Amino acid sequence: MTRRLPIALALGVTLTGLALLGAGAAGLRVNATASMPRGLWRVAPAAGPIPRGAIVSLCLPPGPLLRLALRRGYLDAGRCPGGAEPLLKPVAAIAGDVVRITAAGIAVNGALLPNSAARKQDSAARPLSPLPPGTYRVAPGAVWVVSSYAGKSFDSRYFGAVPVSAVRGTAQPVWVFP
């Protein structure tokens, strides 16, 4: 009986690994962060221009900000360039939109986004560097991603616009819970 336990455990781990590989190949991903509803999401290649309001999966460009996000645990290791997992965020602003950053939060074309005020510290009391207050026009080939779902989201309030080329696809919830 005790010899069967290691075999059953190895088989279970192998089957789980194969299921996860298959899910990834099918465009499924698990979101475990609080910036969007937790659960299972399907990511598909974007069909045409990315509209405001779409939820996207995107990779932060390699660099100091990505290294900080990995070091502090904002992102886990993953398949993006730079070794991080993709972010899952709603597109708040697209090319031509006017983004205004104030102490109250981020306004897009004059409409203030809920839960969009940047924080000076993260939940571990480490300093954050939000973008300076001001008015920004979104350039062609770029988007701003801001999660109104959670005020603690690591998004464009800290790194600004991201290139559309960083977007891996649009995401739809499959099975999520708040």
Side-chain angles (χ1 to χ4, degrees), residues 33-38 90 114-115 146-151 153 157 177-178:
T33 68
S35 63
M36 293 298 296
R38 290 178 171 100
N115 297 319
V146 180
S147 177
S148 295
Y149 185 77
S153 179
R157 56 191 116 188
F177 52 95

Side-chain angles (χ1 to χ4, degrees), residues 72 78 89 127 174:
R72 289 187 174 182
K89 305 288 180 191
V174 174

Side-chain angles (χ1 to χ4, degrees), residues 8-172:
L9 184 59
L11 182 59
V13 168
T14 301
L15 290 175
T16 300
L18 289 173
L20 289 173
L21 284 173
L28 297 176
R29 69 164 281 183
V30 173
N31 177 53
T33 68
S35 63
M36 293 298 296
R38 290 178 171 100
L40 188 62
W41 291 75
R42 180 181 313 280
V43 177
I50 300 167
R52 191 182 310 101
I55 299 170
V56 296
S57 175
L58 67 115
C59 294
L60 281 181
L65 186 66
L66 180 60
R67 288 191 297 275
L68 174 77
L70 285 165
R71 188 172 60 250
R72 289 187 174 182
Y74 303 158
L75 296 173
D76 288 329
R79 299 181 318 258
C80 286
E85 68 180 339
L87 296 165
L88 192 65
K89 305 288 180 191
V91 173
I94 58 174
D97 285 345
V98 175
V99 175
R100 181 152 174 77
I101 299 176
T102 67
I106 294 178
V108 176
N109 299 329
L112 184 64
L113 302 176
N115 297 319
S116 64
R119 297 174 182 266
K120 301 274 190 224
Q121 295 181 330
D122 66 12
S123 56
R126 297 172 294 200
L128 288 169
S129 298
L131 290 179
T135 302
Y136 302 81
R137 182 170 296 276
V138 183
V143 294
W144 279 59
V145 292
V146 180
S147 177
S148 295
Y149 185 77
K152 295 180 181 180
S153 179
F154 183 64
D155 54 28
S156 287
R157 56 191 116 188
Y158 304 101
F159 49 76
V162 293
V164 171
S165 62
V167 173
R168 297 185 125 196
T170 57
Q172 297 291 323

